[in-house]
Amino acid sequence: MVQHTQTRLDASFAALADPTRRGVLGQLSRGDASITALADKFEMTLTGMKKHVGVLELAGLVTTEKVGRVRTCRIGPCRLEEEMKWIAGYRQVWDARFEALDGVIDELKRQEKARGRKKRK
Amino acid sequence: MVQHTQTRLDASFAALADPTRRGVLGQLSRGDASITALADKFEMTLTGMKKHVGVLELAGLVTTEKVGRVRTCRIGPCRLEEEMKWIAGYRQVWDARFEALDGVIDELKRQEKARGRKKRK
């Protein structure tokens, strides 16, 4: 289960690590499109677009269906639920860590100020 | 600016697309660690760990500091703000798209039922 989630996160984050693939997801969220239409839209060869769609399909972000000679792409079942959770969890610990650091700095400033007052006396 | 964000998203999503790198971020969020300690922890060669840390550093997810012979790693300035926004935006359009689809299915079911009632009359 944990292994499965890890593999899924690997595939989805890798799929999102490309501007064309993020663009394709944006495009498909507005409506289904053929591979040819996507290749045209993103000014790319058909082979190049097929590769990008393949990566998105592997991550469950896109599904495709071939009817006759046309392969139609639509957004897939992956809602990026686990990915969202992972990032949210990281942001939480990040905030906690930097708040703790802020606390240390405030404490140092307070001590510095106290020392300054003592000296002036 | 848009170009900059795209490049940043490329780097950060790519950095997150590996279980060891995600593990290193989890580890560093609990406290700073040397590259050697991280290599030990993740049962990896020093060279392998240096590469992973390099990828994380490039994405702003980790910063490193060399004091004497020890390079210490800590979590970096990137809070995954843009990454969170991108995913949240995608989830929103995903939900809207599938809700619209549910609406179409409900309408088809309703029509089907109405036809069934007509036939029985």
Side-chain angles (χ1 to χ4, degrees), chain A:
Chain A
M1 177 59 196
V2 170
Q3 188 57 39
H4 175 75
T5 304
Q6 291 290 354
T7 313
R8 232 193 90 168
L9 287 178
D10 291 357
S12 50
F13 281 135
L16 295 178
D18 181 278
T20 302
R21 289 198 292 267
R22 289 194 300 275
V24 165
L25 287 181
Q27 187 65 27
L28 294 180
S29 69
R30 289 190 286 276
D32 302 349
S34 69
I35 302 241
T36 314
L38 290 173
D40 278 354
K41 173 88 188 167
F42 291 90
E43 295 172 349
M44 188 167 276
T45 62
L46 216 59
T47 314
M49 186 47 78
K50 271 182 194 164
K51 271 188 200 164
H52 280 311
V53 168
V55 174
L56 289 166
E57 208 171 2
L58 212 68
L61 288 161
V62 160
T63 58
T64 71
E65 192 188 5
K66 199 167 182 176
V67 178
R69 294 184 64 175
V70 178
R71 182 169 290 280
T72 301
C73 308
R74 54 178 57 96
I75 50 172
C78 176
R79 291 177 69 229
L80 297 174
E81 185 85 37
E82 290 303 321
E83 295 71 13
M84 185 84 166
K85 271 189 205 163
W86 195 94
I87 291 182
Y90 182 71
R91 284 166 58 85
Q92 217 169 1
V93 292
W94 195 99
D95 287 345
R97 190 134 174 77
F98 278 78
E99 262 169 39
L101 203 63
D102 277 349
V104 172
I105 291 168
D106 286 348
E107 177 60 21
L108 286 173
K109 277 184 188 165
R110 208 188 52 77
Q111 287 177 4
E112 188 62 28
K113 227 173 169 178
R115 263 199 298 276
R117 271 199 299 270
K118 246 184 198 168
K119 269 188 192 165
R120 277 197 299 277
K121 273 180 192 173

